[in-house]
Structure formats: structure tokens, C-alpha cells
Amino acid sequence: MQRLARAGARALVDLSYARHFLDFQGSAIPRAMQKLEATRLSPDLREAVALRRDCPVPLPGDGDLLVRNRFVGVNASDINYSAGRYDPTVKPPFDVGFEGIGEVVALGLSASAKYTVGQAVAYVSPGSFAEYTVVPARIATPLPSVKPEFLTLLVSGTTAYISLKELGGLSEGKKVLVTAAAGGTGQFAVQLSKKAKCHVLGTCSSNEKSAFLKSVGCDRPINYKTEDIKTVLRQEYPGGVDVVYESVGGAMFDLAVDALAINGRLIVIGFISGYQSPTGLSPVKSEVLPAKLLKKSASVQGFFLNHYLSKYQAAMEDLLRLYASGELVCTVDLGDQSPEGRFIGLDSVFRAVDYMYMGKNTGKIVVELPHSVNSKL
């Protein structure tokens, strides 16, 4: 009895079926893999993170899946995480990357009740910048196939969906300003606001991005390289905007506060302009913020996806439904327009992050991880 109790306390791996440890194409899972690991804390990703080439492939526990990553998502917050800004208790070395999609190549006994080898899944969990990641089955999302478009929904899509639903108070005729509107999450804020029958403005940095924004329903794209945002807002929207979906920070935040209408709402989902600085912040005129908000009965509220995980599954289900029905465009940027070409392999994550911070991307930046099927144990 004592022996059984001890055995039950351990994480079990299903050893009774050899197929649980073979990938879906029949090649053995290798002993070693590559992954990205933060070795020191720094807002400079290249300084903080190293590519490890001979790491043991982890084994799944009883309720886990071993996922062979095929596509991983790049987020502005990757820099915040490797700088130690999200969880001060996490000390280097630690795994990085937040989201991935791929196939299940091994799984624990409990997990095998709902999942099978070869099944396509998506997940949000630290450690996605690796060839293989162990994922608790309870947080995985089954997918009909491995397509990079699904990756756009995991963090970017759900952030837009939940924040606008819970904090935006959207209704027909409301004016919504989306900053960095052609980016990974901005594209969804535009489309979901249009679905709520709002009038949508979106800031971007090129004529090509303006055209993209029009294609997904944006009523008034503003290319800040050729137009002054402040002038456009003052002249074309003298009554202000009702909702701002803000991810830039700094001077853009100040402009957005000034543009708020009576009872306006500003939702802060990020402040990318400051992420690469040592302090993590760009200066804002915060000393006059209380007076500006009071004058308009306006509000500013932050949104961090981790605080809304109870809403996550329902949001994902609805977003997947909208995509499947053709009601939602999920734009992926795989780096085809990057000077050095497409983002392929873990070493290209660094290029992908640089590309994002230079404002070059349209849609969600995704890195492809090709795998040889000939690796043997």
C-alpha cells in the first residue's frame, strides 16, 4: 500500500503504448534539441537570451503533452519577460517565448484521454522558443490543422477580444482609435470594433499599412509618417473619440488622452515605445493626467491578459469560430519582406524581434521551426 502511494505521488508517463513516444510521422524523438534561454536580465534580447543547442528533450508528465513546435509567436512583451519585469521571482536561466502551435508527439496517461499523437494543438505557456515544449493538456487548444494563422489568436487576438469586451463598452456609432493598428493585436482591435458597428481610426507607419487597414474595415487609417495625428484628430474628430486601444505609450499616450471624448475610455494594453529602455517607460505628461480625466469624466485602465484567464477559453472558441466562418482576417508576417528573408529557425527570433521594434511588420510576427523527420534516438 505504501509503495502504491509513493508511486501515485509521482508524475506518471504512459509507458504502456510505444506510439506515445513516436512522432506522427514515425521518426523517433531526438535526445537533444535547441531552445532559447534567458541567461541574464536585460531589455536587449540579444544580450539577455542565448541559443542552446544540446538541451535534453523534456518528457511529459501524466497530464502533459510534448509538443513539437512548428510555429512560434513573437510578442513585444518577450523583451519585458527577458528583462525580468513580469515576475521578479523568476531568475536566470529560464526559458522564453510565450506561444506556439505544433503536433503532439508524446503524452502522459491522463492526457491521452483527450489527445492523441499527431494532433495539432496551440498553447500559451512560457518556453515556446524551443523545438519541443511540454504543455499541460488542460491549457492546450485543439486545432483542425497546423497553420500559422491560428497563432495570431493566442495572445494578440484574445487580448483585443477580452479587453474590448470587458473594458471597451463598445456600441454602434462609437468612435474607436487603435494605435499600432496594423500590428499583431491592432488588426483584431480594428476588426472587432467594426463588428460592434463602431467607427474605427487606426494609426500606422506606411501607405501599405494604410491599405491593409482599409482592407480589414478601418474607416480612417492615419499614416503618421505623412500626416500629423494630432492635427487629424483635432480637425476630423473635434468631439473626441470614445475608446482608445493603446499599445505605444509615450507621446502617443499623451495624444490619446487629449483625444478622449466626454466619458471616453483609454485601454492600455502595452507601451512598446519604452520596452527597450532600461526603465521600461517612455516619458508621459502624467502630472496633468488627473485634471484631463476629471475634465472629461474619462478613464484610463490597464489590461494584462494574465488577469483575465477565466475569460480566455470562451474568447478563443469565439475567435476560432469567426476565423473558420471567414468573418475574421488573421494576418501573419513570416518575414518575407525582411532584408534577410523569412523567419525560419530559432536563431531568427532575434531578427524577428528587431523587425517588430522597427515597426516593419503587418500583422502578427511568426517564426517557423522546420524539423528533420530523420532524427533518431
Side-chain angles (χ1 to χ4, degrees), residues 244-257:
V244 181
Y245 183 86
E246 218 293 275
S247 61
V248 177
M252 187 65 245
F253 175 86
D254 289 327
L255 279 175
V257 169

mmCIF file with all atom_site columns, all heavy atoms in Angstrom, residues 244-257:
data_model
loop_
_atom_site.group_PDB
_atom_site.id
_atom_site.type_symbol
_atom_site.label_atom_id
_atom_site.label_alt_id
_atom_site.label_comp_id
_atom_site.label_asym_id
_atom_site.label_entity_id
_atom_site.label_seq_id
_atom_site.pdbx_PDB_ins_code
_atom_site.Cartn_x
_atom_site.Cartn_y
_atom_site.Cartn_z
_atom_site.occupancy
_atom_site.B_iso_or_equiv
_atom_site.pdbx_formal_charge
_atom_site.auth_seq_id
_atom_site.auth_comp_id
_atom_site.auth_asym_id
_atom_site.auth_atom_id
_atom_site.pdbx_PDB_model_num
ATOM 1   N N   . VAL A 1 244 ? -10.023 54.343 -26.833 1.00 0.00 ? 244 VAL A N   1
ATOM 2   C CA  . VAL A 1 244 ? -8.688  54.216 -27.415 1.00 0.00 ? 244 VAL A CA  1
ATOM 3   C C   . VAL A 1 244 ? -8.103  52.882 -26.986 1.00 0.00 ? 244 VAL A C   1
ATOM 4   O O   . VAL A 1 244 ? -8.107  52.544 -25.792 1.00 0.00 ? 244 VAL A O   1
ATOM 5   C CB  . VAL A 1 244 ? -7.741  55.354 -26.969 1.00 0.00 ? 244 VAL A CB  1
ATOM 6   C CG1 . VAL A 1 244 ? -6.377  55.183 -27.635 1.00 0.00 ? 244 VAL A CG1 1
ATOM 7   C CG2 . VAL A 1 244 ? -8.321  56.724 -27.295 1.00 0.00 ? 244 VAL A CG2 1
ATOM 8   N N   . TYR A 1 245 ? -7.643  52.122 -27.958 1.00 0.00 ? 245 TYR A N   1
ATOM 9   C CA  . TYR A 1 245 ? -6.947  50.856 -27.713 1.00 0.00 ? 245 TYR A CA  1
ATOM 10  C C   . TYR A 1 245 ? -5.471  51.158 -27.927 1.00 0.00 ? 245 TYR A C   1
ATOM 11  O O   . TYR A 1 245 ? -5.013  51.299 -29.059 1.00 0.00 ? 245 TYR A O   1
ATOM 12  C CB  . TYR A 1 245 ? -7.475  49.804 -28.700 1.00 0.00 ? 245 TYR A CB  1
ATOM 13  C CG  . TYR A 1 245 ? -6.910  48.413 -28.538 1.00 0.00 ? 245 TYR A CG  1
ATOM 14  C CD1 . TYR A 1 245 ? -7.490  47.518 -27.643 1.00 0.00 ? 245 TYR A CD1 1
ATOM 15  C CD2 . TYR A 1 245 ? -5.826  47.983 -29.297 1.00 0.00 ? 245 TYR A CD2 1
ATOM 16  C CE1 . TYR A 1 245 ? -6.991  46.221 -27.518 1.00 0.00 ? 245 TYR A CE1 1
ATOM 17  C CE2 . TYR A 1 245 ? -5.326  46.699 -29.169 1.00 0.00 ? 245 TYR A CE2 1
ATOM 18  C CZ  . TYR A 1 245 ? -5.914  45.825 -28.279 1.00 0.00 ? 245 TYR A CZ  1
ATOM 19  O OH  . TYR A 1 245 ? -5.424  44.556 -28.148 1.00 0.00 ? 245 TYR A OH  1
ATOM 20  N N   . GLU A 1 246 ? -4.715  51.292 -26.825 1.00 0.00 ? 246 GLU A N   1
ATOM 21  C CA  . GLU A 1 246 ? -3.386  51.920 -26.877 1.00 0.00 ? 246 GLU A CA  1
ATOM 22  C C   . GLU A 1 246 ? -2.281  50.955 -26.494 1.00 0.00 ? 246 GLU A C   1
ATOM 23  O O   . GLU A 1 246 ? -2.295  50.358 -25.431 1.00 0.00 ? 246 GLU A O   1
ATOM 24  C CB  . GLU A 1 246 ? -3.386  53.104 -25.908 1.00 0.00 ? 246 GLU A CB  1
ATOM 25  C CG  . GLU A 1 246 ? -2.617  54.322 -26.404 1.00 0.00 ? 246 GLU A CG  1
ATOM 26  C CD  . GLU A 1 246 ? -1.119  54.115 -26.523 1.00 0.00 ? 246 GLU A CD  1
ATOM 27  O OE1 . GLU A 1 246 ? -0.400  54.279 -25.533 1.00 0.00 ? 246 GLU A OE1 1
ATOM 28  O OE2 . GLU A 1 246 ? -0.659  53.790 -27.641 1.00 0.00 ? 246 GLU A OE2 1
ATOM 29  N N   . SER A 1 247 ? -1.284  50.859 -27.377 1.00 0.00 ? 247 SER A N   1
ATOM 30  C CA  . SER A 1 247 ? -0.183  49.929 -27.120 1.00 0.00 ? 247 SER A CA  1
ATOM 31  C C   . SER A 1 247 ? 1.190   50.553 -27.324 1.00 0.00 ? 247 SER A C   1
ATOM 32  O O   . SER A 1 247 ? 2.188   49.852 -27.258 1.00 0.00 ? 247 SER A O   1
ATOM 33  C CB  . SER A 1 247 ? -0.310  48.713 -28.053 1.00 0.00 ? 247 SER A CB  1
ATOM 34  O OG  . SER A 1 247 ? -0.228  49.121 -29.410 1.00 0.00 ? 247 SER A OG  1
ATOM 35  N N   . VAL A 1 248 ? 1.253   51.863 -27.566 1.00 0.00 ? 248 VAL A N   1
ATOM 36  C CA  . VAL A 1 248 ? 2.512   52.506 -27.923 1.00 0.00 ? 248 VAL A CA  1
ATOM 37  C C   . VAL A 1 248 ? 3.163   53.211 -26.735 1.00 0.00 ? 248 VAL A C   1
ATOM 38  O O   . VAL A 1 248 ? 4.357   53.072 -26.478 1.00 0.00 ? 248 VAL A O   1
ATOM 39  C CB  . VAL A 1 248 ? 2.304   53.498 -29.088 1.00 0.00 ? 248 VAL A CB  1
ATOM 40  C CG1 . VAL A 1 248 ? 3.607   54.226 -29.409 1.00 0.00 ? 248 VAL A CG1 1
ATOM 41  C CG2 . VAL A 1 248 ? 1.791   52.765 -30.324 1.00 0.00 ? 248 VAL A CG2 1
ATOM 42  N N   . GLY A 1 249 ? 2.374   53.990 -25.990 1.00 0.00 ? 249 GLY A N   1
ATOM 43  C CA  . GLY A 1 249 ? 2.913   54.724 -24.855 1.00 0.00 ? 249 GLY A CA  1
ATOM 44  C C   . GLY A 1 249 ? 3.614   56.007 -25.270 1.00 0.00 ? 249 GLY A C   1
ATOM 45  O O   . GLY A 1 249 ? 3.588   56.411 -26.436 1.00 0.00 ? 249 GLY A O   1
ATOM 46  N N   . GLY A 1 250 ? 4.246   56.668 -24.288 1.00 0.00 ? 250 GLY A N   1
ATOM 47  C CA  . GLY A 1 250 ? 4.993   57.886 -24.568 1.00 0.00 ? 250 GLY A CA  1
ATOM 48  C C   . GLY A 1 250 ? 4.115   58.984 -25.138 1.00 0.00 ? 250 GLY A C   1
ATOM 49  O O   . GLY A 1 250 ? 3.008   59.248 -24.674 1.00 0.00 ? 250 GLY A O   1
ATOM 50  N N   . ALA A 1 251 ? 4.615   59.631 -26.197 1.00 0.00 ? 251 ALA A N   1
ATOM 51  C CA  . ALA A 1 251 ? 3.892   60.750 -26.808 1.00 0.00 ? 251 ALA A CA  1
ATOM 52  C C   . ALA A 1 251 ? 2.542   60.319 -27.376 1.00 0.00 ? 251 ALA A C   1
ATOM 53  O O   . ALA A 1 251 ? 1.578   61.101 -27.368 1.00 0.00 ? 251 ALA A O   1
ATOM 54  C CB  . ALA A 1 251 ? 4.753   61.366 -27.915 1.00 0.00 ? 251 ALA A CB  1
ATOM 55  N N   . MET A 1 252 ? 2.441   59.069 -27.849 1.00 0.00 ? 252 MET A N   1
ATOM 56  C CA  . MET A 1 252 ? 1.169   58.580 -28.378 1.00 0.00 ? 252 MET A CA  1
ATOM 57  C C   . MET A 1 252 ? 0.124   58.497 -27.278 1.00 0.00 ? 252 MET A C   1
ATOM 58  O O   . MET A 1 252 ? -1.054  58.809 -27.500 1.00 0.00 ? 252 MET A O   1
ATOM 59  C CB  . MET A 1 252 ? 1.377   57.209 -29.040 1.00 0.00 ? 252 MET A CB  1
ATOM 60  C CG  . MET A 1 252 ? 0.147   56.671 -29.774 1.00 0.00 ? 252 MET A CG  1
ATOM 61  S SD  . MET A 1 252 ? -0.334  57.658 -31.213 1.00 0.00 ? 252 MET A SD  1
ATOM 62  C CE  . MET A 1 252 ? -1.922  58.264 -30.678 1.00 0.00 ? 252 MET A CE  1
ATOM 63  N N   . PHE A 1 253 ? 0.545   58.086 -26.105 1.00 0.00 ? 253 PHE A N   1
ATOM 64  C CA  . PHE A 1 253 ? -0.379  58.038 -24.962 1.00 0.00 ? 253 PHE A CA  1
ATOM 65  C C   . PHE A 1 253 ? -0.924  59.435 -24.663 1.00 0.00 ? 253 PHE A C   1
ATOM 66  O O   . PHE A 1 253 ? -2.121  59.617 -24.447 1.00 0.00 ? 253 PHE A O   1
ATOM 67  C CB  . PHE A 1 253 ? 0.332   57.461 -23.733 1.00 0.00 ? 253 PHE A CB  1
ATOM 68  C CG  . PHE A 1 253 ? -0.493  57.482 -22.484 1.00 0.00 ? 253 PHE A CG  1
ATOM 69  C CD1 . PHE A 1 253 ? -1.368  56.450 -22.182 1.00 0.00 ? 253 PHE A CD1 1
ATOM 70  C CD2 . PHE A 1 253 ? -0.391  58.540 -21.578 1.00 0.00 ? 253 PHE A CD2 1
ATOM 71  C CE1 . PHE A 1 253 ? -2.138  56.473 -21.027 1.00 0.00 ? 253 PHE A CE1 1
ATOM 72  C CE2 . PHE A 1 253 ? -1.151  58.571 -20.409 1.00 0.00 ? 253 PHE A CE2 1
ATOM 73  C CZ  . PHE A 1 253 ? -2.019  57.529 -20.142 1.00 0.00 ? 253 PHE A CZ  1
ATOM 74  N N   . ASP A 1 254 ? -0.047  60.438 -24.661 1.00 0.00 ? 254 ASP A N   1
ATOM 75  C CA  . ASP A 1 254 ? -0.482  61.817 -24.398 1.00 0.00 ? 254 ASP A CA  1
ATOM 76  C C   . ASP A 1 254 ? -1.491  62.285 -25.446 1.00 0.00 ? 254 ASP A C   1
ATOM 77  O O   . ASP A 1 254 ? -2.517  62.896 -25.117 1.00 0.00 ? 254 ASP A O   1
ATOM 78  C CB  . ASP A 1 254 ? 0.721   62.759 -24.383 1.00 0.00 ? 254 ASP A CB  1
ATOM 79  C CG  . ASP A 1 254 ? 1.598   62.570 -23.155 1.00 0.00 ? 254 ASP A CG  1
ATOM 80  O OD1 . ASP A 1 254 ? 1.059   62.248 -22.077 1.00 0.00 ? 254 ASP A OD1 1
ATOM 81  O OD2 . ASP A 1 254 ? 2.824   62.737 -23.280 1.00 0.00 ? 254 ASP A OD2 1
ATOM 82  N N   . LEU A 1 255 ? -1.213  61.995 -26.711 1.00 0.00 ? 255 LEU A N   1
ATOM 83  C CA  . LEU A 1 255 ? -2.151  62.351 -27.780 1.00 0.00 ? 255 LEU A CA  1
ATOM 84  C C   . LEU A 1 255 ? -3.507  61.678 -27.570 1.00 0.00 ? 255 LEU A C   1
ATOM 85  O O   . LEU A 1 255 ? -4.560  62.289 -27.772 1.00 0.00 ? 255 LEU A O   1
ATOM 86  C CB  . LEU A 1 255 ? -1.588  61.930 -29.140 1.00 0.00 ? 255 LEU A CB  1
ATOM 87  C CG  . LEU A 1 255 ? -0.560  62.833 -29.815 1.00 0.00 ? 255 LEU A CG  1
ATOM 88  C CD1 . LEU A 1 255 ? -0.047  62.164 -31.091 1.00 0.00 ? 255 LEU A CD1 1
ATOM 89  C CD2 . LEU A 1 255 ? -1.163  64.180 -30.151 1.00 0.00 ? 255 LEU A CD2 1
ATOM 90  N N   . ALA A 1 256 ? -3.462  60.411 -27.171 1.00 0.00 ? 256 ALA A N   1
ATOM 91  C CA  . ALA A 1 256 ? -4.693  59.641 -26.991 1.00 0.00 ? 256 ALA A CA  1
ATOM 92  C C   . ALA A 1 256 ? -5.534  60.201 -25.844 1.00 0.00 ? 256 ALA A C   1
ATOM 93  O O   . ALA A 1 256 ? -6.759  60.307 -25.954 1.00 0.00 ? 256 ALA A O   1
ATOM 94  C CB  . ALA A 1 256 ? -4.352  58.176 -26.735 1.00 0.00 ? 256 ALA A CB  1
ATOM 95  N N   . VAL A 1 257 ? -4.877  60.576 -24.751 1.00 0.00 ? 257 VAL A N   1
ATOM 96  C CA  . VAL A 1 257 ? -5.606  61.176 -23.621 1.00 0.00 ? 257 VAL A CA  1
ATOM 97  C C   . VAL A 1 257 ? -6.278  62.467 -24.073 1.00 0.00 ? 257 VAL A C   1
ATOM 98  O O   . VAL A 1 257 ? -7.456  62.716 -23.776 1.00 0.00 ? 257 VAL A O   1
ATOM 99  C CB  . VAL A 1 257 ? -4.654  61.440 -22.435 1.00 0.00 ? 257 VAL A CB  1
ATOM 100 C CG1 . VAL A 1 257 ? -5.342  62.296 -21.375 1.00 0.00 ? 257 VAL A CG1 1
ATOM 101 C CG2 . VAL A 1 257 ? -4.196  60.115 -21.822 1.00 0.00 ? 257 VAL A CG2 1
#
